[in-house]
Amino acid sequence: MKRVTKLALAGSLLAGLTASGAVQAEPVKIGMITTLSTGAGYLGEDVRDGFLLAVKEEGGKLGGVEVEIMVEDDGRKPGIGKQLADRFLKQEKAEIITGVIFSNVSPVVAPLTLKAGAFYISPNSAPSTFAGAKCHEDYFAVAWQNDSLHESAGIYATDLGYKNAYILAPNYQAGKDSLAGFKRYFKGDIAGELYTKLGQTDYAAEIAKIRAAKPEMVFHFLPGGMGINFLKQYSQAGLIKEIPLVVSSVSMDSRILKAVGDIALGVRSSSHWTGDMDNAANKKFMAGFVETYGRTPTVFASQGYDTAKLIASALKATGGKVLADKDGFRAALKAANFDSVRGEFKFNTNNHPINQWFGRIVAKGPDGKPMNKTVKMVSNGLADAYASACPLK
Amino acid sequence: MVLFIEQLLNGVQLGIFLFLVSAGLTLIFGIMGIINLAHGSLFMVGAFVAATATTASGSFVVGLIAGVAAAGVTGLAMEYFILRHLYHRDHLDQVLATFGIILFANEMVTIIWGRTPLFFNAPDILNGSIELVPGIIYPVYRLFIIAVGIAVAALLYGVITRTRVGMLVRAGATDREMVGALGVNISVLFMALFGFGAMLAGLAGAMAGPLISVEAGMGESQLILSFVVVVIGGMGSLRGAFIGAMLVGIVDTMGRAFIPDLLKLFLPIAEADGLGAGLSSMSIYMLMALVLVIKPSGLFPASSGSH
């Protein structure tokens, strides 16, 4: 059934493109390199669907300009990302590259894009590499800088009054960055720190260690399936009431919630966006997404949608010129003159957003099913730690 | 000391679970001589169908039965349509074909169920934990897995050593051609064996559902571990699979539990964390290498005429 709606959407997009393509010049080509397979495939799926929703709203256009969106799966592999970037940039002459989810793919795709003179606009991955001294005027991150996801969890945990925390993450760069980010803003002590295998399924040993350490709370960075594995086992060990979890949004998105159900009640997380945010753009997005795809959007879908809206605002400002008017397009991107689903939106000097961050808790929604409810704002504008090293103004 | 015992118990539990996953694999590999990379896909089918049936019926038992049955049927279909034609082919051909099945199965599962991991929690009666001895609080569901695993091991042991079918299976493992020459219908025996192996994988998948994320591709990480178990235990030997699974479970758990702390005694904390995590994830592969150096065909090889 879901397949059918997708096909119908693709069909209508295609029809829109060809019908009006006859009267107008070449559409602006946008290459989307994202992760659609592997256990993390739903991340890319939501970024793509959020992005395409914005295109669909305008009947195949962004900012009144014809666009052609080419979507491909990188399988979370840098090598495939490189091949796709080469193809999009050289053969297809894409003017904008977007879509990358993972921070092992972006360090390959972003430099290729910038070297080819095109714009790189990330809906998700934003490693520290491109936020500090090696920032670039044509590189934009719409979601956040990676660290701030976890920094905001540290702020929230401090705000909740926890005196010590047990922290764990997978043993790879993004995992290490996450723990560093949490510690940067958490004012309590660290009761224990643990690295796990990437893609680990059994957490019995780690959970026994947490129980023995008796911390006040646990922070982890276990997105997707890993987070589901951990949460199920943590709940069965009877710890979820005793030692509460405070995590970042990616470790407690709406798909994880759907998979674990009631056992997630009481889990706290920090996020720059939540489905219940009260602004017109978000209400339109939520209604449109549910109607089009028949499911609740995750935070990733909101980022895909915002990315498309940002591009739309810049295309509108330049009248559809991208590489033909690089300075104009760049300035329009940086101005970020669009209605973001997260309310306020502004870029820092290093082209990474200064987000407001909110504390959330999983509670029963109006339909009796668990959902993330916004509790309070924990940061009214969190700038990342690297912006000062970036020479851009 | 209490923590040590608890971690040991965790290791045993992981071992029992790995035995459930690898029992079918070792039977199929050792007796039929088929390398079935798609064993993990059968595990996945078991988990998905069990999750769906549990949600639909509200009964975990119905879910378990449906998961096991679905994996069995899928296994029979796999044997009949694909593997049957590869018995006399090279192992590499089998690897290629069964790898293809993995890709097909993952994509099929995504088409049918979508990319959102399925909801599947343990029934209330198995949720929560009990205090075994003062200080050791243990999840009921993990005890349930230990009980089921031991029951399956006992059943398999009984069937293999005490029944006529078991005798044929043992004979087949020793010399496949000769069993056929003696008038046993090998193709029926193989099909039944493959179906049974698939059901064991399905049982493991259905049992794992409440512990891990039910998502496309969930079988692959289990597959790698179960191959390690089979290689350590000796191909085709159930006893080997049991001992191998226990060793892997205990070494893996103890490694994750204690290596980083041990390293902290004589290394700076930051280095100990990184190195400890690396070492503990390598521990089972080091165990495998060690076993292969001392006993190249595994701890309890079931000698086969065809190898």
mmCIF file of all heavy atoms in Angstrom, chain B residues 289-305:
data_model
loop_
_atom_site.group_PDB
_atom_site.id
_atom_site.type_symbol
_atom_site.label_atom_id
_atom_site.label_comp_id
_atom_site.label_asym_id
_atom_site.label_seq_id
_atom_site.Cartn_x
_atom_site.Cartn_y
_atom_site.Cartn_z
ATOM 1 N N ALA B 289 40.902 -18.128 16.137
ATOM 2 C CA ALA B 289 42.238 -18.346 15.583
ATOM 3 C C ALA B 289 43.000 -19.353 16.438
ATOM 4 O O ALA B 289 43.647 -20.273 15.921
ATOM 5 C CB ALA B 289 42.990 -17.018 15.513
ATOM 6 N N LEU B 290 42.883 -19.188 17.748
ATOM 7 C CA LEU B 290 43.587 -20.085 18.674
ATOM 8 C C LEU B 290 43.119 -21.527 18.493
ATOM 9 O O LEU B 290 43.924 -22.460 18.384
ATOM 10 C CB LEU B 290 43.317 -19.611 20.113
ATOM 11 C CG LEU B 290 44.141 -20.280 21.211
ATOM 12 C CD1 LEU B 290 45.577 -19.784 21.128
ATOM 13 C CD2 LEU B 290 43.552 -19.973 22.579
ATOM 14 N N VAL B 291 41.804 -21.710 18.429
ATOM 15 C CA VAL B 291 41.254 -23.064 18.255
ATOM 16 C C VAL B 291 41.739 -23.665 16.942
ATOM 17 O O VAL B 291 42.134 -24.832 16.873
ATOM 18 C CB VAL B 291 39.708 -23.038 18.316
ATOM 19 C CG1 VAL B 291 39.130 -24.362 17.851
ATOM 20 C CG2 VAL B 291 39.248 -22.713 19.723
ATOM 21 N N LEU B 292 41.742 -22.834 15.891
ATOM 22 C CA LEU B 292 42.132 -23.354 14.579
ATOM 23 C C LEU B 292 43.600 -23.739 14.533
ATOM 24 O O LEU B 292 43.992 -24.653 13.809
ATOM 25 C CB LEU B 292 41.815 -22.333 13.485
ATOM 26 C CG LEU B 292 40.327 -22.181 13.183
ATOM 27 C CD1 LEU B 292 40.101 -21.194 12.066
ATOM 28 C CD2 LEU B 292 39.708 -23.526 12.832
ATOM 29 N N VAL B 293 44.435 -23.035 15.315
ATOM 30 C CA VAL B 293 45.853 -23.383 15.356
ATOM 31 C C VAL B 293 46.031 -24.745 16.025
ATOM 32 O O VAL B 293 46.756 -25.615 15.545
ATOM 33 C CB VAL B 293 46.655 -22.305 16.125
ATOM 34 C CG1 VAL B 293 48.059 -22.807 16.444
ATOM 35 C CG2 VAL B 293 46.735 -21.033 15.311
ATOM 36 N N ILE B 294 45.295 -24.959 17.126
ATOM 37 C CA ILE B 294 45.459 -26.212 17.874
ATOM 38 C C ILE B 294 44.690 -27.354 17.222
ATOM 39 O O ILE B 294 45.205 -28.449 17.029
ATOM 40 C CB ILE B 294 44.989 -26.001 19.333
ATOM 41 C CG1 ILE B 294 45.848 -24.911 19.979
ATOM 42 C CG2 ILE B 294 45.126 -27.302 20.128
ATOM 43 C CD1 ILE B 294 45.298 -24.405 21.290
ATOM 44 N N LYS B 295 43.442 -27.102 16.863
ATOM 45 C CA LYS B 295 42.644 -28.143 16.205
ATOM 46 C C LYS B 295 42.041 -27.585 14.916
ATOM 47 O O LYS B 295 40.952 -27.009 14.942
ATOM 48 C CB LYS B 295 41.532 -28.639 17.149
ATOM 49 C CG LYS B 295 42.078 -29.214 18.447
ATOM 50 C CD LYS B 295 41.043 -30.063 19.135
ATOM 51 C CE LYS B 295 41.016 -31.459 18.557
ATOM 52 N NZ LYS B 295 40.130 -32.374 19.275
ATOM 53 N N PRO B 296 42.728 -27.768 13.809
ATOM 54 C CA PRO B 296 42.319 -27.108 12.554
ATOM 55 C C PRO B 296 40.898 -27.431 12.107
ATOM 56 O O PRO B 296 40.289 -26.639 11.397
ATOM 57 C CB PRO B 296 43.330 -27.629 11.534
ATOM 58 C CG PRO B 296 44.509 -28.038 12.343
ATOM 59 C CD PRO B 296 43.974 -28.521 13.662
ATOM 60 N N SER B 297 40.341 -28.589 12.482
ATOM 61 C CA SER B 297 38.974 -28.844 12.022
ATOM 62 C C SER B 297 37.950 -28.633 13.142
ATOM 63 O O SER B 297 36.857 -29.188 13.106
ATOM 64 C CB SER B 297 38.864 -30.252 11.441
ATOM 65 O OG SER B 297 39.525 -31.168 12.271
ATOM 66 N N GLY B 298 38.321 -27.834 14.125
ATOM 67 C CA GLY B 298 37.372 -27.521 15.183
ATOM 68 C C GLY B 298 37.501 -28.477 16.351
ATOM 69 O O GLY B 298 38.217 -29.473 16.287
ATOM 70 N N LEU B 299 36.781 -28.165 17.431
ATOM 71 C CA LEU B 299 36.936 -28.951 18.657
ATOM 72 C C LEU B 299 36.386 -30.363 18.525
ATOM 73 O O LEU B 299 36.973 -31.328 18.977
ATOM 74 C CB LEU B 299 36.241 -28.226 19.820
ATOM 75 C CG LEU B 299 36.896 -26.910 20.240
ATOM 76 C CD1 LEU B 299 36.046 -26.207 21.297
ATOM 77 C CD2 LEU B 299 38.299 -27.144 20.761
ATOM 78 N N PHE B 300 35.208 -30.497 17.907
ATOM 79 C CA PHE B 300 34.587 -31.821 17.782
ATOM 80 C C PHE B 300 34.176 -32.071 16.334
ATOM 81 O O PHE B 300 32.994 -32.049 16.012
ATOM 82 C CB PHE B 300 33.340 -31.918 18.670
ATOM 83 C CG PHE B 300 33.630 -31.704 20.122
ATOM 84 C CD1 PHE B 300 33.469 -30.454 20.693
ATOM 85 C CD2 PHE B 300 34.061 -32.761 20.911
ATOM 86 C CE1 PHE B 300 33.734 -30.250 22.034
ATOM 87 C CE2 PHE B 300 34.330 -32.553 22.253
ATOM 88 C CZ PHE B 300 34.173 -31.299 22.815
ATOM 89 N N PRO B 301 35.129 -32.284 15.445
ATOM 90 C CA PRO B 301 34.750 -32.422 14.034
ATOM 91 C C PRO B 301 33.933 -33.694 13.806
ATOM 92 O O PRO B 301 34.241 -34.748 14.365
ATOM 93 C CB PRO B 301 36.091 -32.491 13.313
ATOM 94 C CG PRO B 301 37.063 -32.949 14.337
ATOM 95 C CD PRO B 301 36.566 -32.464 15.655
ATOM 96 N N ALA B 302 32.858 -33.572 12.998
ATOM 97 C CA ALA B 302 32.110 -34.749 12.572
ATOM 98 C C ALA B 302 32.689 -35.114 11.218
ATOM 99 O O ALA B 302 32.419 -34.447 10.237
ATOM 100 C CB ALA B 302 30.628 -34.422 12.450
ATOM 101 N N SER B 303 33.536 -36.139 11.181
ATOM 102 C CA SER B 303 34.276 -36.409 9.958
ATOM 103 C C SER B 303 33.317 -36.768 8.841
ATOM 104 O O SER B 303 32.371 -37.529 9.023
ATOM 105 C CB SER B 303 35.256 -37.559 10.185
ATOM 106 O OG SER B 303 34.534 -38.691 10.579
ATOM 107 N N SER B 304 33.543 -36.194 7.681
ATOM 108 C CA SER B 304 32.656 -36.444 6.558
ATOM 109 C C SER B 304 33.465 -36.949 5.384
ATOM 110 O O SER B 304 34.526 -36.426 5.079
ATOM 111 C CB SER B 304 31.933 -35.153 6.189
ATOM 112 O OG SER B 304 31.246 -35.350 4.981
ATOM 113 N N GLY B 305 32.944 -37.955 4.734
ATOM 114 C CA GLY B 305 33.658 -38.559 3.629
ATOM 115 C C GLY B 305 33.859 -37.617 2.464
ATOM 116 O O GLY B 305 34.771 -37.791 1.667
#
